Amino acid sequence: MVKFVVRDLNIRFKSVPALKGVSLEVKAHEILSAIGPSNSGKTTFLRTLNQLNALNPHLTMTGSVLFEGQDILKIDVELLRRKVGMVFALPLPLPLSIFENVAYGIRMQEIKDKKKLTDSVEEALKEAHIWDEVKDRLSESAFKLSGGQQQRLCIARTLAVKPDVILFDEPCSGLDPISTARVEETMLKLKEKYTIVLVTNNVKQAARVGDRTAFFLGGELIELDNTHKIFTTPSDKRTNDYIIGKFG
Amino acid sequence: MKRNPHLTQKIAFFLLLMATLLIVVPVGLIVVIIIQKGLPAINWQFLTDIPRQGMRAGGIFPAIVGTAYLVGGAIVFALPIGVLAAIYLSEYSKENVLSRIIKLAIINLSGVPSVVYGLFGLALFVVFFKFGASILSGALTLGIMILPIIITSSREALESVPDSFREVSLSLGASKWQTIRNIVLPNAIPGILTGTILGLGRAAGETAPILFTVAAFYLPQLPESIFDQAMALPYHLYVISTQVPNVDEKIRYGTALVLLLLVLFMNLVAIIIRSKLRKNKKW
Amino acid sequence: MRKIKELIIEKLILLCGLAAIFFVVLIFLFLLKEGLAVFKMVSPSDFMFGKSWYPISEPPKLGILPLIMGSLVVTFGAAVISIPIGVGCAVYIAEIAPGKIKEVLKAGIELLAAIPSVVLGFIGMVTLVPLVKNVWHLPTGLTALSGSIMLAFMAMPTIVSIAEDALYSVPKNYKEGAFALGATHWQTIWRVLLPAASSGILAAVMLGIGRVIGETMAVMMITGNAAVIPQSILVPVRTLTATVAAEMGEAVVGSEHYFALFAIGIVLFIISFIINVTADLFLHRKQ
């Protein structure tokens, strides 16, 4: 099963190319990690998958992205974003209570059934491994949680909408090693139910959790292969140089 | 001879301090004088009685009520339009010629002399729409006058809501309007409130726009409908200071004090909301 | 269903977004509608440069030159007073005043901006007018000078706050560069900061003057309202705004006098339009 098929994707910011001719597939129930130095285009790539790039009027896109066989430009954008959830680089709770953060996406579908709402919230919080820590303080502001807890809350918030794919945009960049380990643990468990695309600056993180790894450089996809292969015998010298830390 | 730069600096800084004091000290004096001379006039009767003996005695109640009606009407008209316009500018407009023209129009609207608003209100509401000199005409005129204040401050408040909140909301499948309604607007409310109160203060203090649209020279009764004329505090102060001879100074100062306090109170509330807002930023 | 509702709301938002343009145009159109009729009776040049304003004589004389001169004299006086003091105060607040005092001063300036013009007019009448009368031994203190002083005050908040913004937005490294070269604080202000902020300060001055020209109540209460071409600043004058405010109450709708007052409104609208657009250009050049 293939979730995303990306063909010859080009994105320009004003006149500067941000992605050049990227073609790849995202398979169901895999963790595909994208690595590369900053400005390599990996985050731009990620934000194409849920059409968040469309918010920026200066970005223009050519090429095609198919989600479950359908052109994403032809899918209702709200529906697409429900199917393709996103966890952002910094923990970004909305200025609402813990409960309301998780319930937000469901409420936006105009689901008013109170029981269904609380059940979905609980389920999502359990799935994100944060239920035990917050179950007694659901009405508190989400800002009272620690950074790591906030990030897992954000994961729960994404799960509550019941997506197929979850996009992680450098989800651990602001976290300490212990919180990072917990988020990674969560990701590995989520893989059973969801497809995950992970953008990370942390090469070791890609090695730890990724099934396959894509290396981006200067807006191009240099290499995409099994994580093990990328980290042991990459076929492109630049991939090797980046992984061993010659640049980045 | 070479000038000593440090001496020059001392002289220059002294002059700058003098310039500052020349503004701030008179402001303080004005407030103190009005409070000192106006306070003795203020009592329950002054605030709740109608003017008597050709405004030489009695109270200013109808003027207070008139001003309240006008300010309330102006806000009812200007707040929804102003906030929606701010939403347009902050959330929908792109950087193009149209948004540039809108911004210029707002700047111009805020620069139009108040007496020109009075003329406009007279021509459009009083004469053209045949509302006559009435609370309705005056409130609409004041409403258009404070529109730029409300648009500008609401827009600032909306734009200060971080983009990341919008992205999060959209990424969860919310539509653009849902995002604005549930995330952007609630977080901008303190800022919008600040602008609204400043607008209220402005509307309460202005005289020229109501001169020909609503203001009654001497009307010792309360308005009964929005098509009635009404007295208003600023106009009443103008009338008893320049048009009516032999008014007890106490009454003049008392009226000035009530108007000043009303306006300063609104500004104070706005300032408090604003500083609280700065401290309590949740992000 | 929700989509339709949202579509309607978004159309409404666009409509309100255009409201500012709509109202500016509407104001101008209605001024023209009521004001242009006066030019059937008096030519535009006679209107602008006619030396007598006797709107209710028979036939009426509708020359607004005395009013223009009145506005100019009062505005000029106010500018002379308010520009140096206002810019000086802005420099003091932006550069010299320490933290707490700065906040107090800014609050004081905001306070001044908030005082209704009719209250300032009243205070001017009871304090400034007798003062001017006694100092210069005049028959009346209701003069252009009193108006200028009072209006200077009303222009200050605009000048101070915009000029202070302009000074504040000068990049910090300009200042640090000058300090590094051994300049004193004052030399840095005078040679680096003020020139760098000049277009913003110019805009501040223009907007301050715009406020003065458009000010109505205070000026009507303390300038004496004599519609004659002023020969000095110590005589009563009558400004464009005060004329409209004072006479519209008595003008009969549809009379020549009524049209002429609206024509004055057109003049005021155009002046404020020019000032605001130019000031905005200066403010944008800065960025």
Side-chain angles (χ1 to χ4, degrees):
Chain A
M1 242 294 261
V2 177
K3 277 291 165 191
F4 279 107
V5 180
V6 179
R7 285 284 165 264
D8 196 29
L9 178 64
N10 287 283
I11 290 183
R12 285 167 172 278
F13 177 76
K14 288 177 179 167
S15 61
V16 187
L19 278 183
K20 301 176 210 163
V22 171
S23 298
L24 59 76
E25 293 182 350
V26 181
K27 295 174 191 162
H29 300 290
E30 72 166 344
I31 297 185
L32 174 72
S33 32
I35 57 171
S38 45
N39 293 323
S40 59
K42 55 192 195 304
T43 296
T44 309
F45 165 72
L46 196 72
R47 290 164 65 96
T48 309
L49 299 181
N50 68 347
Q51 280 287 295
L52 222 46
N53 277 344
L55 299 182
N56 187 334
H58 299 302
L59 286 180
T60 46
M61 169 187 149
T62 61
S64 74
V65 180
L66 305 183
F67 173 65
E68 295 179 335
Q70 247 191 310
D71 188 336
I72 57 165
L73 296 178
K74 297 200 176 111
I75 306 174
D76 177 79
V77 68
E78 289 152 35
L79 199 66
L80 175 76
R81 287 180 187 146
R82 267 176 231 151
K83 293 269 185 193
V84 184
M86 187 170 211
V87 176
F88 291 82
L90 295 168
L92 285 172
L94 295 169
L96 304 167
S97 71
I98 294 173
F99 181 89
E100 285 303 325
N101 257 281
V102 183
Y104 185 79
I106 310 172
R107 282 200 196 279
M108 292 306 109
Q109 296 172 38
E110 307 215 305
I111 293 169
K112 300 244 166 72
D113 184 347
K114 195 103 173 96
K115 177 89 173 63
K116 203 175 159 196
L117 200 65
T118 43
D119 288 351
S120 304
V121 169
E122 183 175 337
E123 193 188 330
L125 284 166
K126 279 180 175 157
E127 219 177 342
H129 298 281
I130 189 174
W131 172 250
D132 291 333
E133 291 157 67
V134 301
K135 65 180 176 209
D136 301 323
R137 44 197 288 213
L138 289 174
S139 55
E140 279 179 32
S141 161
F143 289 96
K144 290 197 173 161
L145 298 172
S146 73
Q149 287 173 327
Q150 287 187 6
Q151 194 58 307
R152 276 178 288 135
L153 178 74
C154 292
I155 295 176
R157 181 176 67 189
T158 308
L159 296 176
V161 191
K162 306 220 184 312
D164 286 341
V165 181
I166 305 173
L167 311 174
F168 284 89
D169 183 11
E170 301 177 21
C172 301
S173 54
L175 302 184
D176 60 277
I178 295 167
S179 303
T180 301
R182 300 209 59 174
V183 171
E184 286 178 7
E185 204 181 304
T186 311
M187 264 192 268
L188 285 169
K189 290 215 177 96
L190 291 175
K191 185 173 90 162
E192 295 156 18
K193 275 177 73 181
Y194 308 94
T195 304
I196 291 175
V197 183
L198 164 70
V199 161
T200 179
N201 269 331
N202 181 341
V203 176
K204 289 179 202 138
Q205 183 169 55
R208 284 194 296 265
V209 302
D211 294 309
R212 294 193 302 150
T213 299
F215 174 58
F216 283 84
L217 183 64
E220 287 178 74
L221 174 62
I222 303 296
E223 195 174 349
L224 168 61
D225 217 321
N226 288 327
T227 299
H228 184 69
K229 170 114 192 319
I230 292 277
F231 280 89
T232 49
T233 51
S235 45
D236 196 293
K237 188 175 175 305
R238 288 169 294 181
T239 312
N240 191 47
D241 287 351
Y242 178 71
I243 286 166
I244 64 174
K246 276 203 182 164
F247 69 94
Chain B
M1 199 185 88
K2 208 167 180 294
R3 277 183 304 173
N4 178 347
H6 291 282
L7 184 66
T8 318
Q9 169 157 321
K10 264 193 185 151
I11 296 169
F13 281 13
F14 176 75
L15 290 176
L16 293 178
L17 175 66
M18 284 299 115
T20 309
L21 292 180
L22 242 106
I23 302 177
V24 179
V25 171
V27 175
L29 277 179
I30 290 171
V31 174
V32 169
I33 291 175
I34 294 179
I35 292 178
Q36 204 183 30
K37 295 205 176 179
L39 215 48
I42 294 186
N43 53 41
W44 188 245
Q45 193 217 351
F46 184 69
L47 295 176
T48 56
D49 196 8
I50 57 167
R52 294 175 192 281
Q53 298 168 26
M55 292 178 272
R56 290 179 188 88
I60 54 169
F61 188 57
I64 296 177
V65 172
T67 287
Y69 275 125
L70 286 173
V71 168
I75 280 296
V76 166
F77 172 75
L79 187 61
I81 296 182
V83 172
L84 289 180
I87 291 177
Y88 175 76
L89 286 170
S90 142
E91 310 295 320
Y92 287 92
S93 76
K94 302 187 176 66
E95 272 175 50
N96 55 22
V97 183
L98 180 64
S99 70
R100 187 84 191 88
I101 295 176
I102 293 177
K103 280 170 199 167
L104 259 176
I106 293 170
I107 289 168
N108 269 299
L109 215 48
S110 64
V112 170
S114 55
V115 70
V116 174
Y117 274 106
L119 285 175
F120 167 67
L122 171 65
L124 180 66
F125 301 122
V126 178
V127 176
F128 187 76
F129 283 146
K130 300 194 171 64
F131 295 159
S134 61
I135 293 177
L136 183 63
S137 301
L140 289 173
T141 308
L142 288 172
I144 296 174
M145 188 192 73
I146 61 172
L147 200 54
I149 301 176
I150 294 182
I151 297 179
T152 310
S153 57
S154 302
R155 185 173 144 233
E156 273 173 25
L158 292 165
E159 284 178 350
S160 73
V161 176
D163 269 341
S164 56
F165 286 179
R166 295 181 180 81
E167 290 195 348
V168 166
S169 170
L170 292 169
S171 82
L172 291 167
S175 67
K176 184 160 187 159
W177 170 248
Q178 282 178 324
T179 301
I180 294 169
R181 169 77 191 69
N182 292 289
I183 298 298
V184 182
L185 214 47
N187 284 288
I189 277 180
I192 294 174
L193 212 58
T194 309
T196 307
I197 297 169
L198 289 177
L200 283 173
R202 175 86 195 277
E206 275 291 351
T207 317
I210 59 172
L211 275 178
F212 346 115
T213 54
V214 52
F217 187 80
Y218 178 41
L219 190 71
Q221 66 188 45
L222 298 184
E224 281 164 5
S225 89
I226 55 168
F227 293 102
D228 282 353
Q229 278 196 304
M231 298 182 82
L233 273 178
Y235 183 59
H236 185 64
L237 176 59
Y238 168 70
V239 166
I240 57 174
S241 339
T242 61
Q243 312 287 306
V244 186
N246 306 325
V247 176
D248 186 357
E249 212 178 39
K250 227 172 69 174
I251 293 183
R252 290 178 178 166
Y253 275 108
T255 309
L257 180 59
V258 171
L259 179 57
L260 186 70
L261 286 182
L262 186 71
V263 171
L264 292 190
F265 174 73
M266 289 182 193
N267 277 269
L268 190 68
V269 172
I271 289 170
I272 289 172
I273 294 177
R274 196 171 53 195
S275 66
K276 278 229 162 146
L277 172 71
R278 276 187 197 143
K279 273 183 211 145
N280 292 0
K281 275 258 151 119
K282 294 184 221 121
W283 49 86
Chain C
M1 185 58 213
R2 201 191 80 209
K3 294 259 173 191
I4 296 172
K5 196 182 102 193
E6 290 185 3
L7 195 74
I8 295 171
I9 290 171
E10 292 187 348
K11 289 280 171 264
L12 198 65
I13 287 173
L14 172 65
L15 214 62
C16 290
L18 300 175
I21 302 179
F22 174 73
F23 284 126
V24 170
V25 173
L26 199 66
I27 291 173
F28 193 52
L29 285 182
F30 268 84
L31 292 177
L32 290 180
K33 175 179 173 290
E34 305 285 324
L36 283 184
V38 79
F39 298 118
K40 285 182 200 143
M41 298 153 230
V42 47
S43 74
S45 73
D46 284 349
F47 180 71
M48 293 295 286
F49 304 113
K51 290 196 179 90
S52 359
W53 175 259
Y54 299 119
I56 40 178
S57 67
E58 207 45 62
K61 289 185 179 162
L62 300 171
I64 62 169
L65 189 64
L67 315 177
I68 293 178
M69 292 305 292
S71 277
L72 279 181
V73 167
V74 173
T75 304
F76 180 77
V80 167
I81 300 167
S82 64
I83 293 170
I85 295 179
V87 175
C89 176
V91 172
Y92 189 83
I93 290 179
E95 280 296 311
I96 302 166
K100 278 270 178 211
I101 295 179
K102 186 179 188 150
E103 292 310 312
V104 173
L105 291 175
K106 281 173 109 168
I109 303 288
E110 270 187 56
L111 184 69
L112 176 56
I115 300 176
S117 100
V118 70
V119 173
L120 286 175
F122 168 67
I123 280 293
M125 273 178 62
V126 291
T127 56
L128 187 63
V129 169
L131 187 75
V132 168
K133 180 177 182 215
N134 294 337
V135 170
W136 278 277
H137 305 291
L138 301 170
T140 168
L142 298 167
T143 58
L145 179 66
S146 314
S148 290
I149 296 172
M150 214 59 231
L151 285 181
F153 261 103
M154 307 185 78
M156 291 306 185
T158 310
I159 296 180
V160 174
S161 65
I162 296 173
E164 197 226 323
D165 275 350
L167 287 164
Y168 189 76
S169 60
V170 173
K172 287 279 167 285
N173 53 357
Y174 281 35
K175 212 170 123 183
E176 283 156 12
F179 279 139
L181 293 171
T184 63
H185 193 175
W186 170 245
Q187 284 169 328
T188 308
I189 292 169
W190 185 246
R191 303 226 179 103
V192 179
L193 280 180
L194 283 174
S198 59
S199 64
I201 293 175
L202 205 59
V205 167
M206 293 185 66
L207 291 172
I209 291 176
R211 172 96 202 263
V212 169
I213 294 179
E215 175 46 48
T216 310
M217 295 316 289
V219 88
M220 176 158 72
M221 292 163 85
I222 57 180
T223 52
N225 291 324
V228 287
I229 295 175
Q231 306 297 326
S232 95
I233 58 165
L234 294 174
V235 296
V237 294
R238 160 172 273 196
T239 64
L240 292 165
T241 50
T243 306
V244 176
E247 295 178 9
M248 188 48 99
E250 286 117 56
V252 180
V253 174
S255 68
E256 289 164 16
H257 190 190
Y258 175 88
F259 296 140
L261 293 176
F262 269 95
I264 294 176
I266 298 173
V267 173
L268 284 168
F269 182 90
I270 291 173
I271 293 173
S272 84
F273 187 85
I274 292 170
I275 288 178
N276 283 292
V277 171
T278 334
D280 190 59
L281 287 179
F282 278 116
L283 280 177
H284 274 79
R285 201 178 66 181
K286 177 186 72 177
Q287 286 149 9

